[in-house]
Amino acid sequence: MDSASGFLPAAGAANGSAAGGGAQQQPIREQDRLMPIANVIRIMRRVLPPHAKISDDAKETIQECVSEYISFITGEANERCQREQRKTITAEDVLWAMSRLGFDDYVEPLSVYLHRYREFEGEARGVVGLGAPGAARGGSGDHHHHHHPSMLKSRAPGAMAPHHHDMQLHASMYGGAAVPPHHGHGFVSMPHHGGGHQYLPYPYEAAYGGEHAMASYYGSAAAYGAPGNGGSGDGSGSSGGSASRTPQGGSFEHRHPFASYK
Amino acid sequence: MRQARPYSGIFCGGVSARTGPHALPLARIKKIMKRSAGETADGGARMISGEAPVVFSKACELFIAELTRRAWAATLEGKRRTVHKEDVATAVQNTDLFDFLVDVVMADAGGGGHAAAGQYDEDDGALE
């Protein structure tokens, strides 16, 4: 038990060589090694019932734990890169490390999240005239595609694509060998709507709009992410999701899927 | 008092065009990752793909939620309604998954989780 700075030695131990890829050792500022407390508290509040209080030491402890968590996972991902002589830790390495270290249950929601992120990135880069971010919300996915009718057509047949993409992520996590992209492409490259694809870097994501499929996808992921909303009137996606999966307000007693991984 | 609004939409459009309101700052995550990643075989700095902190921003949310939920269970166990550090410690001790946190939560807890039992806060009434 080495005092308040417990996090630092642990971080150093994780990689054997204390924190420094050549960077000069400057004292690490408190605000650099911890997540902002306000953000941490906000996330904590989301899963606690409204009458719950949080002491300052609990907040700080959780803050420390988050940093330790990032270090723990990163250390594992780092070792994998080292073994495979790669220079860059990728998102897949992180997911792989999580499943190795017992956080299997995070992998699916995170894959969905990453998928969505890539989707939005793809859109932001490739499609000119993207509407306000809000336009991407649930039922209004059509609006920002009106410049590209061909993409609208591509949506329906591609409803399966997101699942496919996740399989690919999974494959690359466990085996290291990703399913070749053209595999996924098969779903969406029907001759009459091929035009839309050039806008997106990930061919199998071109059909992201398979709205209903995706909605249920996010719904469940949101339920995972914000299970204990306790009626805080969250956004449509997550409240729909949590309603379907967890009893409102009682979810802190809800047996978490983790239990089976112990 | 809840201010979840701007962040609650993560899964229904909250990841806005480029930067998106990730619930946790990506730059900070990256810094912490940098410190935990070693060097490459040739002594260069380990690089971190831009997507890796994105994954972490969500992962940390799940992680905080999980840990908080379990800590709250410990709080209820003690018939209190304020989550204390000891409750977090208890949550960590009761969860194999969180073994890597033992040193963090025990750091200056002086005796650890048992301290929580039977301890009441001034502002806490016992819960029925």
Side-chain angles (χ1 to χ4, degrees):
Chain A
M1 326 288 156
D2 45 316
S3 75
S5 60
F7 162 70
L8 287 176
N15 57 44
S17 68
Q24 286 317 303
Q25 289 298 310
Q26 42 198 347
I28 296 153
R29 292 177 303 168
E30 189 75 355
Q31 67 265 33
D32 281 347
R33 67 173 197 94
L34 296 174
M35 287 298 134
I37 190 81
N39 302 44
V40 172
I41 294 169
R42 190 182 300 120
I43 297 167
M44 291 177 74
R45 289 239 170 263
R46 282 211 289 255
V47 299
L48 291 174
H51 65 272
K53 293 175 184 164
I54 313 170
S55 72
D56 288 348
D57 62 353
K59 292 170 188 168
E60 285 160 21
T61 303
I62 300 247
Q63 218 184 355
E64 296 274 354
C65 288
V66 175
S67 295
E68 185 63 31
Y69 172 68
I70 297 174
S71 296
F72 181 57
I73 301 288
T74 304
E76 187 75 16
N78 185 51
E79 275 175 34
R80 185 196 199 201
C81 290
Q82 220 146 15
R83 268 197 307 277
E84 298 176 5
Q85 305 191 325
R86 285 182 290 113
K87 289 191 173 199
T88 305
I89 298 178
T90 65
E92 279 75 17
D93 290 324
V94 172
L95 291 173
W96 176 87
M98 285 189 197
S99 79
R100 276 247 346 186
L101 295 173
F103 292 89
D104 314 54
D105 291 344
Y106 291 14
V107 171
E108 192 194 327
L110 293 178
S111 301
V112 172
Y113 187 79
L114 178 62
H115 171 84
R116 291 230 339 161
Y117 171 79
R118 284 175 173 168
E119 212 165 72
F120 275 92
E121 278 288 289
E123 274 178 42
R125 283 198 193 128
V127 180
V128 193
L130 177 68
R137 285 187 160 248
S140 56
D142 283 349
H143 297 328
H144 54 273
H145 283 300
H146 61 277
H147 303 300
H148 306 286
S150 61
M151 288 188 68
L152 288 179
K153 278 199 210 159
S154 76
R155 294 147 66 89
M160 282 293 292
H163 299 260
H164 212 72
H165 174 62
D166 275 313
M167 284 166 57
Q168 188 181 3
L169 253 174
H170 265 271
S172 67
M173 274 169 31
Y174 293 112
V179 180
H182 64 260
H183 206 90
H185 209 196
F187 270 108
V188 294
S189 61
M190 317 271 282
H192 63 281
H193 60 66
H197 297 153
Q198 60 196 338
Y199 297 104
L200 292 160
Y202 303 94
Y204 35 83
E205 290 181 354
Y208 91 106
E211 244 159 43
H212 299 296
M214 294 300 277
S216 62
Y217 225 69
Y218 299 145
S220 70
Y224 194 101
N229 272 327
S232 67
D234 258 37
S236 54
S238 67
S239 64
S242 44
S244 67
R245 279 198 38 189
T246 47
Q248 291 285 326
S251 53
F252 38 87
E253 290 172 337
H254 151 87
R255 198 84 187 120
H256 201 270
F258 276 165
S260 56
Y261 286 85
K262 287 206 248 187
Chain B
M1 251 316 142
R2 297 211 174 225
Q3 292 167 326
R5 269 293 157 207
Y7 288 89
S8 59
I10 287 280
F11 276 100
C12 43
V15 186
S16 65
R18 297 213 72 141
T19 51
H22 298 283
L24 295 163
L26 300 180
R28 189 76 54 90
I29 293 172
K30 195 163 187 171
K31 260 180 204 158
I32 297 170
M33 289 184 73
K34 278 261 177 206
R35 274 209 312 281
S36 312
E39 301 176 356
T40 54
D42 55 14
R46 172 79 64 207
M47 312 239 270
I48 292 170
S49 104
E51 287 180 345
V54 173
V55 169
F56 263 123
S57 74
K58 187 68 197 171
C60 290
E61 269 187 79
L62 299 177
F63 171 80
I64 293 168
E66 174 74 13
L67 189 53
T68 304
R69 229 176 281 129
R70 288 175 180 274
W72 176 246
T75 307
L76 286 183
E77 193 90 349
K79 299 200 187 329
R80 286 168 288 113
R81 67 182 91 176
T82 304
V83 181
H84 283 288
K85 177 171 181 170
E86 291 73 23
D87 298 319
V88 181
T90 303
V92 167
Q93 284 167 322
N94 292 341
T95 312
D96 288 351
L97 190 68
F98 292 150
D99 273 351
F100 68 98
L101 294 172
V102 165
D103 287 347
V104 177
V105 297
M106 298 302 278
D108 47 13
H114 353 45
Q119 194 183 67
Y120 288 80
D121 319 297
E122 350 36 275
D123 56 349
D124 260 8
L127 297 173
E128 261 77 85

